[in-house]
């Protein structure tokens, strides 16, 4: 594993070709953001929160400190970049990369990124430059690594945007969709209606819904419910809170309303989800 760390600023950035073995060395660092890349010839089964995914050879995925990332049994090696806000703040530098709400901090499970052959080649070259720069200890190393990370984030954000919104060419529209995802991730515990987010975006609810429908995207209300359900699953799996307490924690005044949303999204009641032997299939 290669690392850059500045004890004065708290900046931390690491690169490993074996996440499973090296994760223990970075797991104590708070508030890390991750980019994982399966460069092995084998699929790697992973979990983001309670969501099981298979990272196929060549695919990438990102996650934040808010999303628990685990690898199921696999002997394949996973290449991982990890950095904290002190090294590169995606919120402060949003104008540079526009990754917030697309690559990180989106309202749903992070997307699997599938680069084509040419993009894979370019990412391989970028990885080689990263490794070379990690080995160069001088007074501009931090800035060089930050510049490379910014380039990687921009590349991956473009790939995600192309995969998720292939028909959306207008960057203003992309920005509205991106900001909606960010707002949902920030306020899903207290704001459950499309109107709440439309007001924050200075749009009408109908305009917002029509915008998503125009490009055949998941509807705004479905995105809101999906984010609530994602957090509910996490609390059901990893806390001792009962269903009523979880409902209140997620901003519902009535446990029945919470159960209606959860069942609509999963097909199961919260209690049935928690009791299921196989939570992933539930």
């Amino acid at each position: 594993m290669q690392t850059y760390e500045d004890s004065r600023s708290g900046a931390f950035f690491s690169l490993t070709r074996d996440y499973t073995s090296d994760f223990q060395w970075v797991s104590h660092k708070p508030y890390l953001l991750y980019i994982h890349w399966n460069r092995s010839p084998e699929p790697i089964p992973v979990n983001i929160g309670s969501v099981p995914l298979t990272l196929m050879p060549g695919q990438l995925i990102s996650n934040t400190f808010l999303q628990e990332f685990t690898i199921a049994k696999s002997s394949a090696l996973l290449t991982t970049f990890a950095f904290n806000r002190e090294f590169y703040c995606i919120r402060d530098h949003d104008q540079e990369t526009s990754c917030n709400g697309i690559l990180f901090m989106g309202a749903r499970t992070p997307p699997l990124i599938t680069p084509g052959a040419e993009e894979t080649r370019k990412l391989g070259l970028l990885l080689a430059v990263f490794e070379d720069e990690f080995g160069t200890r001088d007074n501009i190393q931090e800035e060089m690594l930050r510049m490379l990370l910014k380039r990687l984030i921009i590349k991956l954000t473009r790939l995600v945007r192309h995969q998720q919104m292939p028909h959306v060419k207008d960057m203003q529209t992309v920005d509205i969709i991106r900001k909606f995802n960010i707002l949902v991730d920030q306020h899903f515990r207290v704001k459950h209606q499309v109107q709440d987010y439309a007001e924050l975006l200075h749009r009408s609810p109908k305009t917002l819904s029509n915008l998503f429908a125009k490009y055949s995207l998941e509807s705004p209300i479905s995105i809101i419910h999906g984010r609530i359900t994602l957090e509910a699953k996490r609390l059901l799996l990893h806390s001792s809170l009962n269903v009523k307490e979880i409902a209140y924690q997620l901003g519902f005044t009535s446990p029945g309303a919470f159960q209606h949303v959860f069942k609509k999204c999963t097909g199961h009641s919260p209690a049935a989800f928690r009791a299921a032997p196989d939570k992933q299939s539930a």
Side-chain angles (χ1 to χ4, degrees):
M1 183 172 69
Q2 296 170 293
T3 62
Y4 172 85
E5 192 163 10
D6 186 333
S7 59
R8 297 163 301 174
S9 66
F12 177 82
F13 183 36
S14 71
L15 167 62
T16 173
R17 287 177 177 261
D18 185 359
Y19 172 83
T20 302
S21 297
D22 292 336
F23 175 68
Q24 57 182 311
W25 301 108
V26 301
S27 61
H28 66 285
K29 296 287 183 184
Y31 308 120
L32 292 178
L33 303 183
Y34 300 87
I35 296 171
H36 308 280
W37 185 10
N38 180 8
R39 300 177 60 250
S40 81
E42 302 172 24
I44 301 179
V46 303
N47 292 291
I48 299 277
S50 62
V51 180
L53 298 167
T54 300
L55 202 55
M56 300 301 291
Q59 285 188 320
L60 301 96
I61 195 168
S62 59
N63 73 289
T64 74
F65 51 90
L66 297 172
Q67 300 157 317
E68 185 184 15
F69 179 88
T70 57
I71 300 178
K73 285 186 178 179
S74 175
S75 59
L77 300 182
L78 185 64
T79 297
T80 298
F81 300 86
F83 61 98
N84 64 8
R85 178 176 180 172
E86 287 76 8
F87 185 79
Y88 188 79
C89 178
I90 59 172
R91 183 172 295 181
D92 291 350
H93 296 88
D94 190 50
Q95 292 296 324
E96 292 181 346
T97 60
S98 297
C99 67
N100 210 4
I102 294 182
L103 190 61
F104 298 108
M105 304 296 182
R108 303 299 295 269
T109 302
L112 291 169
I113 306 165
T114 307
E118 180 60 16
E119 286 299 334
T120 298
R121 184 187 70 80
K122 291 178 180 177
L123 289 170
L125 293 174
L126 188 56
L127 176 64
V129 180
F130 265 116
E131 293 180 320
D132 180 62
E133 200 57 46
F134 266 111
T136 306
R137 301 287 181 181
D138 59 23
N139 60 354
I140 61 170
Q141 184 190 31
E142 180 175 358
E143 192 52 39
M144 289 296 289
L145 287 171
R146 189 179 293 112
M147 183 182 69
L148 292 170
L149 177 62
K150 184 169 71 174
R151 187 174 172 187
L152 175 64
I153 290 172
I154 290 172
K155 276 183 173 293
L156 297 183
T157 301
R158 284 176 178 165
L159 286 170
V160 174
R161 201 168 62 217
H162 181 70
Q163 286 179 201
Q164 291 191 333
M165 299 174 272
H167 306 301
V168 185
K169 306 300 181 187
D170 175 12
M171 289 308 296
Q172 187 178 5
T173 300
V174 171
D175 209 40
I176 292 172
I177 295 168
R178 190 172 70 84
K179 287 178 178 174
F180 175 81
N181 287 332
I182 296 170
L183 290 171
V184 171
D185 197 54
Q186 290 174 341
H187 302 293
F188 69 91
R189 290 182 179 84
V190 292
K191 297 183 184 296
H192 296 170
Q193 304 300 320
V194 175
Q195 183 173 351
D196 298 329
Y197 297 95
E199 287 174 359
L200 293 173
L201 291 166
H202 307 293
R203 299 285 194 285
S204 73
K206 187 176 181 181
T207 299
L208 203 56
S209 295
N210 288 345
L211 185 68
F212 280 70
K214 178 180 178 181
Y215 295 104
S216 302
L217 300 174
E218 187 177 6
S219 70
I221 191 63
S222 178
I223 292 173
I224 296 166
H225 286 172
R227 185 64 186 91
I228 292 169
T229 300
L230 195 64
E231 180 64 9
K233 284 182 174 179
R234 189 185 71 79
L235 293 171
L236 288 164
L237 292 175
H238 302 296
S239 82
S240 58
L241 297 174
N242 61 39
V243 172
K244 188 176 180 180
E245 290 170 329
I246 290 173
Y248 291 147
Q249 191 162 114
L250 293 177
F252 291 89
T253 55
S254 157
F258 162 62
Q259 293 185 58
H260 175 75
V261 168
F262 189 90
K263 189 168 185 178
K264 186 178 177 182
C265 289
T266 67
H268 302 272
S269 69
F273 174 84
R274 174 174 266 171
D278 181 355
K279 307 290 192 302
Q280 294 178 352
S281 62

